[in-house]
């Protein structure tokens, strides 16, 4: 997979209000919120150095401030408990790569992707979902970039009640055909992972699944906008704020 925007972006200011002292299925996990009824698994973004300590996340991992701030927003606005597990065995990509061209250039996304491919990471994703499934009456999952394939598969395995994904990566047509829950797609105009061909396939084939679905197009935005958009520009801020609001509205409808 070649995607320069997978490595680019902006770190957001703000102090997370949740806790990273918990574990989920044995994985270190950031948790925000206190709901006993609705859970959200955030699948997202990796510092090169290995450290020993759900939206799923992008390649920057469970410790990225952006992912934790998103979790806090979802917890508060959805009245849910949000979980952001460490799916990468302690490997964290240095957030300073955002502003350091040399670090960005030296990071090998292909090698990282092979270390954390679908086959290797699905057992951990599945275990987290099963543990939450037993705990909450309603469970959603949101995935950014890397987390896109994960939420598709969770839906296909009927392990969650609804999924949302922004600029998803590593998924395929079979994943689209196997969706069994309400799904929301947050699609930027420019995206090397959510290609025009995959967008077209989703639009043509999601109606055939029989599940409620929503496709929201973000003109002028690129891969990573929803989790690493530039808060210093009106365009960047408007994009990630609209993506967050859209996900909140979607989950409010299908989880409450």
């Amino acid at each position: 997979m070649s995607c320069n925007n997978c490595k680019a972006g902006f770190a957001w200011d703000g102090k997370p209000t949740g806790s990273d002292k918990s574990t989920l299925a044995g994985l270190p996990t950031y948790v925000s919120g206190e709901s006993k009824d609705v859970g959200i698994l955030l699948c997202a973004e990796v510092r090169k150095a290995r450290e020993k300590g759900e939206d799923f996340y992008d390649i920057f991992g469970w410790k990225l401030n952006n992912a934790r701030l998103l979790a806090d927003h979802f917890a508060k606005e959805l009245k849910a408990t949000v979980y952001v597990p460490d799916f990468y065995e302690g490997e964290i990509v240095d957030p300073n790569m955002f502003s350091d061209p040399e670090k960005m250039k030296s990071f090998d996304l292909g090698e990282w992707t092979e270390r954390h491919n679908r086959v290797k990471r699905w057992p951990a994703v599945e275990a987290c979902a099963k543990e939450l499934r037993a705990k909450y009456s309603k469970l959603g999952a949101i995935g950014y970039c890397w987390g896109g394939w994960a939420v598709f598969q969770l839906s296909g395995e009927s392990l969650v009640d609804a999924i949302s994904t922004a600029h998803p990566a590593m998924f395929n047509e079979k994943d689209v055909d196997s969706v069994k829950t309400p799904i929301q797609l947050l699609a930027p105009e420019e995206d090397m992972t959510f290609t025009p061909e995959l967008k077209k396939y989703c639009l043509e084939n999601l109606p055939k699944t029989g599940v409620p679905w929503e496709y929201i197009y973000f003109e002028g935005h690129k891969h990573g906008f929803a989790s690493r958009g530039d808060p210093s520009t009106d365009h960047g801020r408007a994009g990630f704020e609209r993506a967050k609001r859209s996900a909140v509205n979607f989950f409010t409808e299908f989880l409450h």
Side-chain angles (χ1 to χ4, degrees), residues 83-156:
Y83 296 78
V84 187
D86 174 17
F87 288 118
Y88 307 138
E89 296 185 338
E91 184 177 5
I92 308 294
V93 172
D94 188 353
N96 291 326
M97 187 171 68
F98 285 141
S99 56
D100 190 326
E102 288 305 311
K103 285 186 177 182
M104 186 181 298
K105 184 178 179 180
S106 65
F107 177 71
D108 192 320
L109 182 60
E111 289 183 0
W112 182 91
T113 302
E114 177 55 31
R115 288 194 297 276
H116 305 290
N117 63 43
R118 291 183 61 159
V119 174
K120 292 178 180 178
R121 294 295 167 246
W122 170 247
V125 172
E126 181 182 35
C128 287
K130 285 185 174 180
E131 187 170 314
L132 294 178
R133 176 82 284 177
K135 185 174 183 179
Y136 293 96
S137 58
K138 290 290 185 177
L139 179 63
I142 184 165
Y144 298 89
C145 187
W146 181 93
W149 72 266
V151 298
F152 266 100
Q153 192 160 345
L154 286 170
S155 176

Side-chain angles (χ1 to χ4, degrees), residues 119 183 227 246:
V119 174
I183 176 174
S227 56
S246 298

Side-chain angles (χ1 to χ4, degrees), residues 9-24:
F10 296 83
W12 298 341
D13 292 329
K15 185 177 180 179
T17 58
S19 170
D20 60 6
K21 307 303 181 184
S22 300
T23 60
L24 181 64

Side-chain angles (χ1 to χ4, degrees), residues 12-256:
W12 298 341
D13 292 329
K15 185 177 180 179
T17 58
S19 170
D20 60 6
K21 307 303 181 184
S22 300
T23 60
L24 181 64
L27 302 179
T29 300
Y30 178 80
V31 181
S32 185
E34 300 179 346
S35 174
K36 299 184 184 303
D37 300 313
V38 176
I40 300 287
L41 185 57
L42 193 153
C43 309
E45 305 195 32
V46 167
R47 240 172 288 197
K48 269 193 167 179
R50 290 183 176 271
E51 296 185 0
K52 299 295 182 184
E54 180 155 44
D55 335 298
F56 284 95
Y57 31 93
D58 248 339
I59 65 169
F60 294 91
W62 75 297
K63 287 191 174 183
L64 183 68
N65 206 49
N66 299 21
R68 296 185 174 197
L69 291 173
L70 281 169
D72 292 346
H73 275 285
F74 289 137
K76 180 180 180 180
E77 296 175 42
L78 282 168
K79 296 179 175 59
T81 303
V82 184
Y83 296 78
V84 187
D86 174 17
F87 288 118
Y88 307 138
E89 296 185 338
E91 184 177 5
I92 308 294
V93 172
D94 188 353
N96 291 326
M97 187 171 68
F98 285 141
S99 56
D100 190 326
E102 288 305 311
K103 285 186 177 182
M104 186 181 298
K105 184 178 179 180
S106 65
F107 177 71
D108 192 320
L109 182 60
E111 289 183 0
W112 182 91
T113 302
E114 177 55 31
R115 288 194 297 276
H116 305 290
N117 63 43
R118 291 183 61 159
V119 174
K120 292 178 180 178
R121 294 295 167 246
W122 170 247
V125 172
E126 181 182 35
C128 287
K130 285 185 174 180
E131 187 170 314
L132 294 178
R133 176 82 284 177
K135 185 174 183 179
Y136 293 96
S137 58
K138 290 290 185 177
L139 179 63
I142 184 165
Y144 298 89
C145 187
W146 181 93
W149 72 266
V151 298
F152 266 100
Q153 192 160 345
L154 286 170
S155 176
E157 299 283 346
S158 299
L159 290 171
V160 293
D161 297 300
I163 63 170
S164 174
T165 180
H167 36 84
M170 298 167 63
F171 77 105
N172 54 46
E173 295 176 355
K174 183 179 178 181
D175 292 317
V176 177
D177 295 337
S178 65
V179 164
K180 293 184 176 65
T181 66
I183 176 174
Q184 178 188 63
L185 298 169
L186 305 174
E189 180 176 1
E190 298 181 41
D191 196 337
M192 295 182 71
T193 64
F194 194 10
T195 63
E197 293 77 17
L198 272 174
K199 290 174 180 175
K200 183 174 184 290
Y201 191 87
C202 287
L203 290 170
E204 291 178 349
N205 290 276
L206 279 175
K208 300 175 185 178
T209 64
V211 303
W213 64 281
E214 181 175 68
Y215 179 97
I216 303 178
Y217 179 67
F218 291 79
E219 184 177 2
H221 289 279
K222 299 180 180 181
H223 180 93
F225 81 97
S227 56
R228 290 174 276 121
D230 184 356
S232 69
T233 69
D234 291 342
H235 182 70
R237 178 175 290 278
F240 68 70
E241 288 184 346
R242 179 184 170 211
K244 185 268 297 179
R245 288 196 307 271
S246 298
V248 168
N249 292 337
F250 175 79
F251 284 128
T252 296
E253 179 176 358
F254 291 105
L255 299 183
H256 283 287

